[in-house]
Amino acid sequence: MPSSDLKIPAEHASNLVNPAAYAGPRIHETYAWLRANQPLGIAEIEGFDPFWVVTRHADILEVSRQNALFLNGARSPTIVNKEIDQRVRQMMGGSPHLLRTLIHMDAPDHPKYRILTQAWFLPQNLRRMEERIRIIARAAVDRMLATGGRCDFVREVALHYPLHVVMDILGVPEEDEPRMLQLTQELFGASDPELRRKDEEQTDEANQLRRGVIADFYNYFAKLSAARKAEPRDDLASVIANSQIDGRPISEFEAMSYYIIVATAGHDTTSSSTAGALWALAERPAELAKVKADPSLIPGLVDESIRWTTPVKTFMRTVAEDVEFAGRQMRKDDWMMLCYASGNRDEAVFDDPQEFRVDRSPNKHLAFGYGAHVCLGQHLAKMEMRILWEELLPKIDQLELAGEPKMSEAAFVNGPKTLPVRFEAA
Ligand code: HEM
């Protein structure tokens, strides 16, 4: 990697890998500085391999579009320090991945695996699930109303609703959901002290490898998969369990990886943007009034809350060959961080990007990524949120914060972890 003038100042570089920076305004201050001064610089941080940092909307799009040049699988597709990287490689016979999911693959394998479930996630197929999801949404709204006007919205609604939906589509029975909720939080929130496994206190960093959590998921889904092979049903688990790759049944490891990516990617992300939306509305009575008065603005509210929260903060890519990109000389195997939450506040693309507007149009946010790996569940996520707001907004008035909300501490996926609100039932 070339260095010196491209090096990002230490105080900004360290924020990029510091989970606590993502729980407050600090990460956005760093992003704003980088967009203005060093939009494609290099972070050199003790304990981490150096990486390029991509903060402008246009550059993130371009890197994502060129997926033969910027790879997912060559190194870890999420940010990890050297120690964790080495331990994973030791455990996995040299591979940098604990799992083999879509986010760990490149062509020619990636499209083969993606196509297995792609049709299932299209709006035409999802439409038949609208009524089932609405029933789940009504139950979530009733739970909130039953609190009598004061609740932690994350605990009462945002955590359970998307979990319930994703478990329903996977075919996980309701009684197993609390266990799945705990496992997902442990996997994604692992750097947040309040969400980490009790036996995973800081003593041994190796625990952060999340091995135990992945093993629990693995065991659970192995049973589900065997059941769906024996007796297929009309759910996503049956599609995955019975799928074929190059004329052969999908391997157990890959089927497990598929369940895990859907279960985890489909839950925390949607929870975060759902809670982010209510937080923004609680602080902006005029925006709440606008969308309550005109429900046709609900899809706009959904998109704006996804832009605003950008639950997936970063993904990594690896440069496939020596290349000049955006005026920078890059080398094969260079690592690169895509900062979606920065692209989503890029002044060159969004008017008043720091404002939350339910009627923002256009809203070309990057929160679902772009290109070959663009979020498989984006239509489901948007449909889920639309239905929740259609059910919830007519039922509440006078929404406001009833305490200080808190964000989780994580540099990969994060969002509100507590959101105390007061409301009046309409
Ligand atoms: C990939 C965001 C909801 C399943 C991704 C990526 C992002 C993302 C940024 C990587 C895109 C890229 O590399 O270009 C989000 C957000 C969500 C959400 C913000 C909610 C607001 C969901 C849901 C599901 C899901 C509900 C499934 C039930 C997936 C899968 C991938 C993915 C399987 C990997 C796709 C691939 O690599 O080909 N998502 N996601 N996501 N998402 Fe989502």
Side-chain angles (χ1 to χ4, degrees):
M1 257 188 186
S3 51
S4 63
D5 52 327
L6 293 176
K7 189 171 164 178
I8 294 171
E11 69 272 23
H12 290 302
S14 61
N15 281 340
L16 296 167
V17 297
N18 178 0
Y22 289 79
R26 240 186 318 152
I27 193 64
H28 283 292
E29 289 157 18
T30 281
Y31 285 155
W33 188 92
L34 289 171
R35 283 192 305 273
N37 301 289
Q38 191 61 285
L40 195 46
I42 297 170
E44 289 177 21
I45 307 157
E46 167 104 42
F48 288 79
D49 280 335
F51 53 88
W52 294 95
V53 182
V54 191
T55 47
R56 282 192 182 157
H57 190 279
D59 292 336
I60 297 171
L61 273 188
E62 198 48 40
V63 171
S64 307
R65 183 181 293 137
Q66 298 198 41
N67 65 298
L69 185 57
F70 300 109
L71 302 173
N72 272 54
R75 297 176 69 161
S76 174
T78 56
I79 182 74
V80 287
N81 64 27
K82 279 190 206 172
E83 190 190 335
I84 292 180
D85 187 51
Q86 275 161 17
R87 282 174 188 266
V88 171
R89 287 173 194 269
Q90 273 162 15
M91 266 169 55
M92 305 303 288
S95 161
H97 313 304
L98 280 176
L99 293 169
R100 187 164 149 74
T101 77
L102 295 177
I103 65 163
H104 302 101
M105 293 180 191
D106 293 294
D109 283 356
H110 176 257
K112 288 186 201 164
Y113 285 81
R114 190 166 160 120
I115 198 102
L116 298 176
T117 59
Q118 192 151 278
W120 204 91
F121 280 105
L122 286 178
Q124 303 84 292
N125 182 57
L126 294 174
R127 258 197 294 277
R128 70 193 167 96
M129 247 119 43
E130 171 128 8
E131 268 321 296
R132 263 172 48 204
I133 295 180
R134 198 170 290 280
I135 290 167
I136 301 174
R138 282 192 192 126
V141 172
D142 287 347
R143 190 176 157 137
M144 178 175 172
L145 295 178
T147 63
R150 196 186 168 117
C151 71
D152 176 353
F153 183 77
V154 172
R155 209 180 58 200
E156 298 301 336
V157 178
L159 272 185
H160 296 276
Y161 169 61
L163 176 76
H164 206 107
V165 172
V166 86
M167 293 301 140
D168 190 76
I169 64 164
L170 268 178
V172 171
E174 208 174 327
E175 62 269 21
D176 293 339
E177 284 180 13
R179 189 163 156 219
M180 286 292 130
L181 171 65
Q182 200 192 351
L183 289 176
T184 318
Q185 280 187 325
E186 286 170 351
L187 195 63
F188 274 164
S191 53
D192 187 296
E194 285 177 30
L195 301 177
R196 200 181 297 130
R197 275 197 160 189
K198 289 282 171 285
D199 60 1
E200 228 180 66
E201 297 303 339
Q202 292 292 36
T203 49
D204 182 1
E205 256 227 296
N207 283 326
Q208 298 236 6
L209 289 179
R210 304 150 192 179
R211 247 184 304 181
V213 183
I214 289 178
D216 284 357
F217 266 115
Y218 199 105
N219 293 336
Y220 183 85
F221 283 118
K223 285 194 201 117
L224 186 71
S225 189
R228 291 302 188 274
K229 265 193 206 152
E231 218 177 297
R233 291 194 197 162
D234 179 27
D235 58 23
L236 190 58
S238 302
V239 174
I240 296 169
N242 296 291
S243 59
Q244 303 245 324
I245 293 286
D246 294 334
R248 285 190 305 273
I250 189 168
S251 78
E252 186 176 88
F253 179 61
E254 288 165 346
M256 290 317 113
S257 296
Y258 223 124
Y259 294 129
I260 293 174
I261 186 82
V262 172
T264 52
H267 166 223
D268 249 24
T269 48
T270 317
S271 292
S272 292
S273 33
T274 302
L278 198 88
W279 182 350
L281 292 175
E283 290 185 323
R284 293 168 184 78
E287 295 300 298
L288 176 62
K290 243 193 259 177
V291 68
K292 272 177 69 68
D294 179 2
S296 75
L297 292 175
I298 288 176
L301 162 67
V302 169
D303 262 320
E304 180 67 341
S305 59
I306 296 169
R307 179 190 76 88
W308 181 249
T309 325
T310 311
V312 179
K313 296 295 180 291
T314 56
F315 257 116
M316 306 298 286
R317 295 289 193 268
T318 302
V319 180
E321 60 194 54
D322 292 1
V323 67
E324 192 185 310
F325 177 79
R328 308 283 192 263
Q329 192 55 52
M330 299 186 170
R331 300 263 174 255
K332 180 175 173 3
D333 285 336
D334 278 0
W335 214 20
M336 192 179 240
M337 177 184 260
L338 302 182
C339 300
Y340 299 116
S342 172
N344 281 344
R345 302 219 176 170
D346 187 338
E347 304 72 6
V349 176
F350 300 98
D351 293 337
D352 298 326
Q354 311 294 343
E355 294 295 317
F356 180 93
R357 293 187 187 147
V358 296
D359 50 2
R360 181 178 292 280
S361 175
N363 192 346
K364 293 188 184 313
H365 68 75
L366 285 168
F368 291 120
Y370 188 76
H373 288 273
V374 68
C375 177
L376 188 60
Q378 61 172 315
H379 303 295
L380 175 64
K382 287 203 270 192
M383 173 172 152
E384 237 177 286
M385 294 176 68
R386 168 178 60 77
I387 293 173
L388 182 72
W389 301 124
E390 284 170 0
E391 294 298 321
L392 178 59
L393 291 177
K395 304 253 173 67
I396 56 162
D397 269 329
Q398 304 296 336
L399 177 68
E400 60 183 13
L401 293 182
E404 202 191 323
K406 276 198 201 154
M407 297 279 285
S408 62
E409 295 180 9
F412 175 34
V413 176
N414 91 324
K417 68 175 174 185
T418 50
L419 179 58
V421 290
R422 229 184 330 260
F423 60 93
E424 274 175 28

